[in-house]
Amino acid sequence: MTTFAINAAMQSKLAQAGIPHESIKVFGIIRQNVHVICLSRETAQKWSHLLGSLFPASKVACVSHMWNAVENKGTSMRPTKRSGWLVAVAG
């Protein structure tokens, strides 16, 4: 099984976890990195607990995060942003 297939399987399993999210990215060749973006702090804590149980030897980071909105209502010099939380782990 290739690392791409393993990462894709992990991403689909995390998407089926039932915890709300904006995006889930699973990537890496040497070790598996997981980035989950969500909107609320409580949801970020749920993701942090889940990823901590999946990767017990790794430290889970939970930091505030901003990204560009899909629809820009500002100008090119001041784009519309969304804010939330990034939960990341490298296992």
Side-chain angles (χ1 to χ4, degrees):
M1 196 173 210
T2 65
T3 56
F4 178 75
I6 293 169
N7 290 343
M10 175 63 94
Q11 186 166 345
S12 68
K13 287 288 188 184
L14 289 174
Q16 296 172 1
I19 304 173
H21 60 277
E22 281 290 308
S23 68
I24 298 175
K25 294 179 185 171
V26 179
F27 58 95
I29 295 174
I30 296 173
R31 55 185 177 170
Q32 202 169 41
N33 299 297
V34 179
H35 289 182
V36 179
I37 296 175
C38 52
L39 295 178
S40 72
R41 176 74 177 161
E42 293 81 20
T43 305
Q45 287 176 340
K46 290 178 185 177
W47 277 110
S48 179
H49 291 301
L50 177 66
L51 292 177
S53 67
L54 292 175
F55 301 98
S58 300
K59 182 180 176 187
V60 178
C62 183
V63 295
S64 63
H65 183 64
M66 292 185 77
W67 63 94
N68 291 332
V70 172
E71 182 181 341
N72 186 12
K73 296 185 180 183
T75 63
S76 63
M77 298 299 289
R78 190 171 177 140
T80 305
K81 298 279 190 178
R82 293 190 71 191
S83 62
W85 296 90
L86 170 67
V87 182
V89 66

